[in-house]
């Protein structure tokens, strides 16, 4: 047991060092260990669980603390009762004595509970006596008992034996047996402890190096080994690869996490089988793997990847027969002066190269190069300028008109789209800086600012008595999840006295995928405050139809650009018409976005689409230009113009 306690402490330190580590991950590791270890059963309770449990249930526990020394929970261990009992019974006493192991408070650690007179036991413990003493049994029959200290954790062996006519002989046999028992137990524990510490240390080492899900190396172990290779060998012949399994989230969503985990495990096996003996790779996180590869030319490295793809395709694993695994790999080729770079930074470069090609369809492969490097530099420059730009009001709202095609091509309103007017770099489109702002949450501030500016303009516009227009703003995912989200938007709407039905909030599909119950309740609260809610970029995700079934949204924005990827225009139109019809039946209005050609306008008009927002009518423009356009066109029909010409 003392050995077990050592193991427990070691395990607690390892788990704490893995921080951030979730309860699920800890439990998975523990399950593995429990399967290997028949002497002790380990459990984990996080801070919340532990509050609700009875500390008497468990015999020993150690705290798990993260690197900041904050408690994550407790690891506790129990030895299955029967192990000790069998041991005790078989070793010495078979049937003559009732034996228990007690702690210094007289509480049973193991053995047959129910025969003890705890008061008495405590009294004897406090006296430190090792002589037999009388003890009452449940039926008030007198029994004799002996307490022998065990040299472990201040525990005692309590032995009780019935008092009979042959009392003296029993006592003699009993005491003799007890001495044998305690020394026997001590020896046994001593040997086992020695063995178990060694075994457990090996297990801990193994645990520290392995990824518990796939069994392949984990990142810290990879790092150690890769650093050694780079130190000792010719750095120029090595490249680091980073591989992402495309659409893995989709696999998880469709097949469930359990199946997803199984697939990840098979993928790790494939990497192992494909590589030469002892290929050096690891799972970095989730569905991302990284490795070190020895290569001669870049061409060879590229064909190594293509062969890997073929290898993946040739192995039809039963679990993903119907799903094609697509790989996206980025590679960083080491240079002479990279010896001082950390493995993290090198792997990060391979990852950046991977991200660079990820958006293209199919299996993808790309090297880290100058262009990517410049992009990273540019992005970090932008990132460092964001705070200043917010302060200096460099973010400007542009508006792209929305045209009501069933009501004589009139301007129904517009969508507010942000532009960054950077004093040195010129106008920067949102695609370049919004992803950066999403990373650190600054997007929430920007979205709220855009919304307030839009309300300000709408307020002054409405005051002139002109025909009301609808204005839509984008809401980022993190913004929607803020506690004061509905309150903030409601408050600003009130402050500028905007009537109900004129302000529209656009949410992207991905925002809702994870938790449509949360989203539904947000939408109903927004409805109560007079907002229109729309689902943006419909068709670019994958569970769109399912979403429609559950979400109480008012407007569906179809991304026509997305549909344009299809090659068969007839089929494409069948799909679009049917989505529009379905939306109509659900009383959801439709907006087609990204429309560039007059013929698409004609088709959408006949298909019953309500609104078009696209270059075919107008591009996004400064708010003043939009105001002017409204004034000039005042209820007039706009004429669509092909952008092809
Ligand atoms: P989105 O919300 O889907 O906005 C529509 C995008 O499509 C706009 O790009 C718009 O200029 C473009 N577009 C509209 N019609 C056409 C067309 O006919 N052809 C082509 N090629 N493009 C068209 P933009 O302004 O670059 O915005 C890109 C994305 O950035 C937006 O996509 C939106 O997701 C995001 N965004 C823009 N402003 C904000 C904002 O204030 N907050 C947040 N959270 N996101 C914003
Ligand atoms: Ca939008
Ligand atoms: Ca959109």
């Amino acid at each position: 047991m003392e050995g077990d306690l050592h193991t427990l402490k070691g395990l607690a330190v390892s788990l704490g060092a893995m921080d951030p580590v979730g309860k699920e991950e800890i439990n998975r590791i523990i399950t593995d260990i429990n399967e290997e270890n028949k002497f002790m059963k380990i459990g984990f309770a996080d801070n919340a669980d532990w509050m609700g449990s009875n500390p008497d249930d468990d015999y020993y526990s150690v705290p798990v603390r993260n690197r900041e020394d904050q408690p994550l929970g407790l690891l506790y261990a129990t030895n299955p009762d029967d192990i000790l009992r069998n041991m005790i019974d078989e070793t010495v006493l078979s049937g003559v004595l009732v034996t228990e192991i007690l702690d210094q408070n007289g509480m049973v650690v193991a053995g047959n509970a129910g025969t003890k007179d705890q008061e008495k036991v405590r009294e004897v413990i406090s006296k430190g006596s090792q002589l037999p003493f009388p003890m009452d049994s449940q039926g008030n029959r007198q029994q004799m008992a002996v307490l022998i200290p065990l040299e472990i954790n201040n525990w005692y062996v309590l032995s009780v034996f019935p008092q009979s006519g042959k009392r003296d002989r029993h006592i003699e046999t009993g005491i003799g047996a007890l001495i044998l028992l305690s020394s026997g137990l001590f020896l046994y524990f001593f040997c086992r402890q020695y063995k178990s510490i060694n075994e457990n240390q090996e297990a801990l080492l193994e645990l520290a190096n392995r990824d518990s899900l796939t069994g392949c190396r984990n990142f810290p172990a990879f790092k150690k080994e890769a650093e050694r290779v780079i130190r000792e060998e010719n750095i120029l012949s090595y490249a680091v690869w980073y591989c992402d399994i495309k659409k893995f989230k989709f696999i998880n969503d469709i097949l469930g996490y359990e199946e997803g985990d199984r697939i990840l495990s098979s993928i790790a096996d494939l990497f192992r089988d494909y590589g030469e003996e002892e290929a050096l790779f690891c799972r970095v996180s989730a569905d991302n793997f990284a490795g070190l590869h020895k290569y001669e030319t870049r061409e060879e490295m590229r064909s190594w990847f293509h062969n890997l793809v073929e290898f993946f395709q040739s192995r039809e694993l039963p679990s993903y027969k119907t799903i094609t695994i697509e790989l996206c790999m980025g590679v960083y080729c080491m240079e002479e002066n990279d010896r001082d770079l950390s493995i993290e930074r090198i792997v990060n470069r391979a990852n950046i190269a991977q991200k660079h090609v990820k958006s293209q369809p199919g299996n993808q492969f790309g090297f880290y190069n100058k262009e990517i490097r410049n992009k990273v530099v540019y992005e970090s420059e932008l990132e460092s300028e964001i705070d200043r730009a917010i302060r200096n009001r460099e973010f400007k709202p542009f508006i792209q008109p929305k045209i009501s095609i069933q009501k004589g091509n009139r301007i129904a309103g517009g969508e507010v789209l942000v532009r960054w007017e950077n004093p040195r770099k010129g106008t920067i489109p949102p695609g370049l800086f919004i992803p950066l702002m999403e990373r650190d949450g600054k997007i929430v501030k920007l979205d709220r600012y855009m919304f307030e500016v839009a309300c300000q303009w709408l307020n002054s516009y409405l005051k002139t008595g002109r025909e009301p227009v609808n204005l839509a703003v984008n809401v980022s995912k993190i913004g929607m999840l803020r506690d004061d989200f509905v309150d903030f938007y409601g408050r600003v709407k009130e402050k500028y006295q905007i009537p109900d039905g004129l302000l529209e909030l656009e949410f992207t599909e991905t925002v809702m995928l994870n938790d449509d119950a949360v989203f539904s309740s947000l939408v109903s609260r927004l409805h109560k405050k007079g907002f229109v809610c729309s689902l943006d970029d419909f068709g670019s995700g994958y569970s769109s139809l399912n979403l429609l079934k559950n979400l109480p949204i008012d407007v569906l924005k179809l991304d026509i650009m997305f549909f344009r990827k299809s090659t068969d225009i007839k089929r494409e139109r069948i799909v679009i018409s049917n989505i529009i019809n379905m939306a109509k039946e659900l009383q959801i209005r439709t907006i087609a976005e990204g429309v560039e050609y007059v013929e698409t306008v004609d088709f959408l008009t006949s298909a019953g689409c309500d609104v078009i927002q696209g270059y075919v009518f107008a591009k996004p423009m400064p708010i003043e230009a939009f105001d002017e356009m409204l004034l000039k066109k005042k209820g007039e029909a706009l004429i669509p113009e092909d952008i092809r010409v």
Side-chain angles (χ1 to χ4, degrees):
M1 285 182 181
E2 199 157 286
D4 290 347
L5 207 57
H6 277 292
T7 307
L8 220 54
K9 282 179 187 159
L11 189 57
V13 171
S14 304
L15 291 175
M18 276 165 70
D19 175 60
V21 59
K23 190 175 167 188
E24 264 172 42
E25 176 76 0
I26 292 184
N27 281 330
R28 191 159 55 215
I29 293 171
I30 288 174
T31 311
D32 285 352
I33 297 177
N34 280 340
E35 270 167 21
E36 297 288 312
N37 174 353
K38 52 185 180 303
F39 286 101
M40 117 175 121
K41 290 293 154 239
I42 304 176
F44 174 73
D46 64 15
N47 298 328
D49 291 346
W50 191 251
M51 296 303 197
S53 78
N54 174 5
D56 292 345
D57 288 347
D58 306 299
Y59 304 131
Y60 29 95
S61 60
V62 295
V64 182
R65 294 177 176 281
N66 66 13
R67 291 199 208 107
E68 279 83 51
D69 209 34
Q70 289 149 341
L72 297 175
L74 284 167
L75 275 182
Y76 57 83
T78 56
N79 281 87
D81 253 12
D82 53 330
I83 288 177
L84 273 178
R85 284 199 53 71
N86 288 344
M87 221 160 61
I88 292 164
D89 289 351
E90 278 168 26
T91 4
V92 208
L93 300 162
S94 56
V96 182
L97 300 164
V98 185
T99 311
E100 295 167 354
I101 294 182
L102 304 179
D103 65 15
Q104 73 260 49
N105 299 318
M107 302 296 285
V108 179
V109 173
N112 183 0
T115 51
K116 65 189 182 297
D117 175 351
Q118 261 197 36
E119 282 296 301
K120 188 91 190 180
V121 168
R122 265 200 286 260
E123 188 191 316
V124 176
I125 289 177
S126 66
K127 280 191 198 145
S129 158
Q130 286 183 28
L131 291 174
F133 59 95
M135 198 169 98
D136 284 346
S137 77
Q138 272 152 340
N140 258 348
R141 274 200 9 235
Q142 274 281 306
Q143 296 182 322
M144 291 303 283
V146 170
L147 268 176
I148 308 263
L150 271 179
E151 321 231 328
I152 301 167
N153 281 7
N154 295 332
W155 287 339
Y156 294 83
V157 178
L158 170 75
S159 297
V160 184
F161 33 102
Q163 228 179 25
S164 70
K166 296 175 203 154
R167 177 187 156 184
D168 291 347
R169 231 195 69 215
H170 266 301
I171 292 179
E172 271 164 30
T173 332
I175 292 175
L178 277 173
I179 291 165
L180 226 96
L181 164 75
S182 60
S183 48
L185 274 180
F186 183 72
L187 253 172
Y188 177 82
F189 280 131
F190 186 78
C191 294
R192 212 181 71 72
Q193 174 187 340
Y194 185 75
K195 191 162 160 256
S196 96
I197 286 177
N198 280 337
E199 277 173 5
N200 288 327
Q201 257 157 13
E202 269 167 40
L204 276 180
L205 201 67
E206 183 68 11
L207 179 82
N209 288 333
R210 294 279 145 205
D211 168 41
S212 65
L213 178 71
T214 61
C216 71
R217 257 191 206 85
N218 59 20
F219 188 63
F222 168 76
K223 189 179 147 178
K224 220 162 46 190
E225 192 55 23
E227 271 167 355
R228 187 194 60 73
V229 172
I230 291 171
R231 218 176 26 243
E232 293 172 6
E233 298 189 34
N234 177 12
I235 191 170
L236 291 176
S237 54
Y238 282 94
V240 168
W241 55 266
Y242 191 103
C243 191
D244 174 79
I245 313 301
K246 277 182 145 185
K247 304 198 186 90
F248 195 77
K249 188 179 170 331
F250 169 76
I251 295 178
N252 264 340
D253 283 355
I254 301 287
L255 301 177
Y257 283 99
E258 222 170 277
E259 187 65 16
D261 283 355
R262 252 200 299 281
I263 291 174
L264 275 183
S265 196
S266 316
I267 289 174
D269 290 346
L270 287 180
F271 275 121
R272 186 171 37 232
D273 294 350
Y274 177 68
E276 45 283 6
E277 270 303 291
E278 269 309 289
L280 186 52
F281 78 97
C282 68
R283 186 168 77 112
V284 184
S285 62
D287 57 331
N288 300 130
F289 294 82
L292 194 64
H293 183 73
K294 198 166 183 172
Y295 76 111
E296 267 170 21
T297 62
R298 292 193 172 211
E299 247 349 278
E300 179 208 308
M301 184 84 208
R302 198 180 280 279
S303 59
W304 175 81
F305 172 74
H306 288 302
N307 292 339
L308 172 74
V309 170
E310 270 174 26
F311 181 72
F312 265 64
Q313 283 161 353
S314 69
R315 292 282 195 98
E316 206 179 66
L317 291 177
S319 52
Y320 58 96
K321 240 186 213 144
T322 49
I323 291 175
T324 14
I325 298 286
E326 282 179 352
L327 305 177
C328 181
M329 183 180 281
V331 172
Y332 178 72
C333 298
M334 311 268 261
E335 292 170 13
E336 192 49 62
N337 50 5
D338 286 345
R339 279 188 204 278
D340 302 330
L341 280 185
S342 68
I343 292 291
E344 280 92 346
R345 285 190 65 183
I346 294 172
V347 169
N348 191 41
R349 287 186 180 176
N351 185 16
I352 290 169
Q354 178 269 129
K355 283 190 187 143
H356 195 70
V357 289
K358 194 174 176 178
S359 59
Q360 294 158 41
N363 291 292
Q364 288 298 335
F365 176 90
F367 289 104
Y368 184 90
N369 55 26
K370 245 206 183 103
E371 183 200 338
I372 296 177
R373 208 190 111 79
N374 292 343
K375 186 172 169 248
V376 173
V377 171
Y378 181 74
E379 279 183 358
S380 58
E381 273 172 24
L382 284 191
E383 215 161 4
S384 68
E385 291 179 28
I386 283 174
D387 286 327
R388 188 215 60 217
I390 294 178
R391 278 195 307 275
N392 295 355
R393 311 203 157 226
E394 290 169 21
F395 293 104
K396 297 283 190 295
F398 272 48
I399 298 186
Q400 185 177 29
K402 292 179 177 180
I403 315 302
S404 225
I405 51 173
Q406 304 294 346
K407 294 180 189 156
N409 287 4
R410 297 214 176 93
I411 303 172
E415 175 180 2
V416 180
L417 295 158
V418 64
R419 298 289 179 268
W420 181 352
E421 290 185 342
N422 188 299
R424 275 185 301 280
K425 299 186 170 76
T427 302
I428 307 171
L432 290 184
F433 59 86
I434 285 194
L436 307 179
M437 296 178 84
E438 276 169 342
R439 285 209 291 248
D440 62 3
K442 291 201 179 99
I443 186 66
V444 180
K445 203 166 169 185
L446 179 71
D447 280 353
R448 292 182 174 196
Y449 172 68
M450 282 298 127
F451 177 65
E452 182 139 12
V453 177
C455 288
Q456 236 162 17
W457 172 80
L458 194 54
N459 169 281
S460 58
Y461 169 88
L462 292 170
K463 274 190 186 145
T464 61
R466 291 153 70 185
E467 198 183 333
V469 285
N470 159 295
L471 266 198
V473 295
N474 291 285
V475 180
S476 69
K477 179 177 178 156
I478 28 178
M480 189 195 93
L481 297 174
R482 286 283 158 93
D483 286 343
D484 65 340
F485 164 60
V486 177
D487 282 352
F488 176 84
Y489 283 80
R491 219 170 38 238
V492 175
K493 173 176 174 282
E494 240 166 65
K495 177 174 164 196
Y496 293 98
Q497 299 156 2
I498 313 291
D500 287 357
L502 290 189
L503 290 171
E504 182 173 329
L505 301 179
E506 296 191 3
F507 303 94
T508 56
E509 211 176 8
T510 45
V511 166
M512 291 147 238
L513 281 179
N514 300 332
D515 205 338
D516 52 14
V518 171
F519 185 73
S520 289
S521 90
L522 277 181
V523 170
S524 5
R525 286 172 59 203
L526 289 167
H527 280 162
K528 284 200 192 100
K529 292 197 185 274
F531 285 97
V532 176
C533 298
S534 62
L535 186 51
D536 205 353
D537 301 338
F538 186 81
S540 63
Y542 53 83
S543 54
S544 320
L545 292 177
N546 212 17
L547 272 177
L548 277 193
K549 197 179 74 200
N550 301 326
L551 295 179
I553 47 141
D554 312 290
V555 178
L556 199 61
K557 295 193 80 177
L558 291 168
D559 195 334
I560 297 296
M561 307 276 209
F562 170 75
F563 289 99
R564 198 176 303 152
K565 279 183 191 148
S566 49
T567 44
D568 187 336
I569 191 156
K570 215 169 129 206
R571 291 174 75 95
E572 171 192 311
R573 293 193 164 179
I574 292 174
V575 172
I576 297 175
S577 308
N578 279 288
I579 293 176
I580 293 171
N581 280 334
M582 188 169 61
K584 253 203 179 75
E585 282 189 36
L586 294 166
Q587 261 106 46
I588 295 173
R589 273 169 281 145
T590 43
I591 299 185
E593 200 173 24
V595 179
E596 298 186 342
Y597 310 126
V598 176
E599 59 174 287
T600 321
V601 178
D602 295 341
F603 155 68
L604 288 165
T605 314
S606 65
C609 176
D610 299 296
V611 171
I612 282 180
Q613 176 189 343
Y615 293 178
V616 72
F617 284 113
K619 290 191 172 176
M621 55 190 81
I623 219 160
E624 302 75 28
F626 178 66
D627 192 309
E628 207 171 296
M629 186 176 183
L630 283 172
L631 204 59
K632 254 194 348 223
K633 297 284 173 184
K634 224 177 0 185
E636 224 177 88
L638 294 195
I639 300 155
E641 269 176 72
D642 259 7
I643 69 151
R644 261 182 292 217
V645 286

